[in-house]
């Protein structure tokens, strides 16, 4: 059902539809619960209210000479199964927003608006509110408006407590400020921003390692004292606010969002042919959760970097002469490597100068 707010006050729903497993009244309650969360994301460019057939967003005030719209869509993957199992729904919406907005950010675009698609087996207004509250929080962090969405109750496709969520975002960048691989040159410096954990990739392997192969429970403690479920459901970091000052001052040449495929799949996407990302692994501490998984699965370091972000969620290239300016604007950034010439590889991992 669409996220509409104009149902009749005394609407009791369709008894025939309810017998088929779809509860319209609960759907209206869920929409009512969403309103206050969606209101947090409002921007003056939003021209529509919840309940229309489409979300309206004005581009009239974009202060760009040649604006280019950049779109992105993604979901959360099997991380959702852990949210279902633990009945903790408040962060999974942040993940959905993050996976989309970080991608458009990698093109140099600032996110403008977001829409979500939420499919459930049974319409539980409280669960839906928690999920959408997370979506709204992600939009607040990304400085974009949540202008619409869809909540679909599909009892024959999902079990009662199952759900899935996907999202779609649109951002904008001035054509002259687009981040493209051809911007990168030999000698550019690679800077990294730390991840908040595993983010939202690789969870089929994560679940296999912990729960199928080694029978951990969600309430088990890591050596640090943190509960496993807290670590696994830590929401994906949204990098929009961090990167805004750098992008506005044109200090960034190219960006890689480290998602599925890890370093080996994502770093080449920010480089032109003939150049290689040389990364020094000793420049940051690999987080505990990755070291535990590597040990549990007896996985090589090289393969771990093929799968996970390994503690670096966003990597960007800058000119060497801009490093001091970048660190002044963004002290959380870490120099992790450089761009070198290479004809036969796009990623080279070093451990204290030695290739792995």
């Amino acid at each position: 059902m669409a996220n509409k707010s104009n149902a009749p006050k005394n609407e009791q729903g369709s008894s025939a539809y309810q017998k088929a497993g779809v509860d319209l009244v609960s759907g209206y309650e869920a929409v009512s619960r969403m309103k206050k969360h969606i209101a947090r994301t409002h921007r003056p460019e939003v021209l529509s209210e919840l309940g229309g057939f489409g979300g309206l967003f004005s581009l009239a005030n974009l202060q760009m000479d040649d604006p280019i719209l950049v779109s992105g869509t993604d979901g959360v993957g099997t991380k959702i199964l852990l949210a279902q199992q633990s009945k903790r729904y408040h962060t999974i919406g942040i993940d959905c927003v993050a996976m989309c907005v970080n991608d458009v950010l990698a093109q140099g675009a600032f996110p403008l608006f977001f829409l979500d698609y939420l499919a459930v087996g049974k319409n539980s207004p409280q669960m839906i509110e928690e999920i959408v509250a997370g979506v709204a929080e992600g939009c607040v962090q990304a400085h974009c408006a949540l202008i619409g969405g869809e909540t679909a109750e599909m009892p024959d496709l999902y079990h009662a407590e199952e759900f899935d969520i996907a999202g779609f975002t649109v951002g904008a960048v001035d054509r002259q400020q687009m981040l493209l691989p051809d911007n990168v040159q030999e000698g550019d410096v690679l800077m990294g921003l730390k991840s908040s954990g595993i983010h939202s990739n690789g969870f089929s392997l994560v679940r296999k390692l912990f729960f199928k192969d080694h029978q951990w429970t969600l309430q088990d403690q890591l050596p640090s004292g943190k509960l496993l479920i807290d670590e696994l459901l830590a929401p994906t970091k949204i990098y929009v606010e961090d990167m805004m000052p750098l992008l506005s001052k044109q200090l960034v040449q190219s960006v890689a969002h480290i998602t599925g495929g890890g370093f080996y799949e994502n770093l080449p996407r920010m480089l032109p042919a003939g150049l290689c990302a040389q990364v020094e692994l000793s420049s940051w501490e690999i987080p505990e959760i990755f070291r535990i998984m590597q040990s549990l699965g007896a996985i090589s370091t090289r393969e771990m970097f093929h799968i996970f972000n390994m503690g670096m969620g966003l990597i960007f290239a800058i000119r060497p002469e801009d490093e001091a300016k970048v660190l002044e604007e963004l002290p959380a950034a870490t120099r992790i490597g450089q761009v070198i010439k290479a004809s036969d590889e796009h990623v080279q991992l070093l451990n204290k100068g030695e290739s792995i």
Side-chain angles (χ1 to χ4, degrees), residues 252-267:
V252 178
Q253 304 305 319
S254 187
V255 170
H257 180 204
I258 310 302
T259 56
F263 280 53
Y264 285 99
E265 182 173 323
N266 291 293
L267 283 179

Side-chain angles (χ1 to χ4, degrees), residues 115-157:
L115 296 95
D116 68 306
Y117 177 81
L118 177 60
V120 301
K122 180 177 174 58
N123 207 323
S124 166
Q126 181 176 347
M127 180 188 76
I128 290 172
E129 179 184 6
E130 288 185 43
I131 295 170
V132 174
V135 174
E137 172 59 28
C139 289
V140 169
Q141 292 181 24
H143 297 267
C144 67
L146 178 56
I147 65 170
E150 175 75 8
T151 303
E153 187 176 14
M154 297 185 284
D156 292 332
L157 190 57

Side-chain angles (χ1 to χ4, degrees), residues 193-199 201 205 239 258-259 261-264 279-281 283-295 299-315 336 349 356:
L193 288 174
K194 291 181 179 178
S195 68
S196 53
I198 301 171
H199 284 182
N201 300 104
L205 177 58
Y239 295 100
I258 310 302
T259 56
F263 280 53
Y264 285 99
V279 178
E280 177 52 68
L281 305 188
S283 58
W284 79 94
E285 183 178 355
I286 304 297
E288 173 187 50
I289 189 67
F290 298 108
R291 291 186 274 108
I292 292 172
M293 290 192 294
Q294 183 173 6
S295 177
I299 303 170
S300 71
T301 298
R302 190 176 180 87
E303 188 172 2
M304 289 293 290
F305 277 85
H306 264 292
I307 303 168
F308 299 110
N309 67 61
M310 300 303 285
M312 282 291 160
L314 198 80
I315 296 173
I336 65 168
L349 300 184
I356 67 167

Side-chain angles (χ1 to χ4, degrees), residues 178-287:
M178 291 175 63
L179 300 183
L180 302 171
D182 286 344
N183 296 350
V184 181
Q185 302 173 1
E186 179 186 7
D188 281 350
V189 172
L190 294 176
M191 307 293 290
L193 288 174
K194 291 181 179 178
S195 68
S196 53
I198 301 171
H199 284 182
S200 300
N201 300 104
F203 271 84
S204 294
L205 177 58
V206 172
R207 293 182 299 104
K208 178 179 184 295
L209 291 173
F210 282 110
F211 307 118
K212 294 181 181 178
D213 295 348
H214 292 90
Q215 290 76 53
W216 285 51
T217 71
L218 296 177
Q219 299 303 312
D220 280 343
Q221 283 190 333
L222 304 176
S224 64
K226 193 172 186 179
L227 292 181
L228 178 61
I229 186 58
D230 291 338
E231 179 64 50
L232 297 186
L233 285 184
T236 304
K237 181 171 174 56
I238 292 172
Y239 295 100
V240 174
E241 194 160 311
D242 287 332
M243 294 297 290
M244 274 183 172
L246 304 186
L247 296 176
S248 296
K249 295 183 179 182
Q250 300 182 52
L251 293 172
V252 178
Q253 304 305 319
S254 187
V255 170
H257 180 204
I258 310 302
T259 56
F263 280 53
Y264 285 99
E265 182 173 323
N266 291 293
L267 283 179
R269 298 165 71 180
M270 67 180 286
L271 301 172
L275 294 184
C276 171
Q278 187 181 70
V279 178
E280 177 52 68
L281 305 188
S282 63
S283 58
W284 79 94
E285 183 178 355
I286 304 297

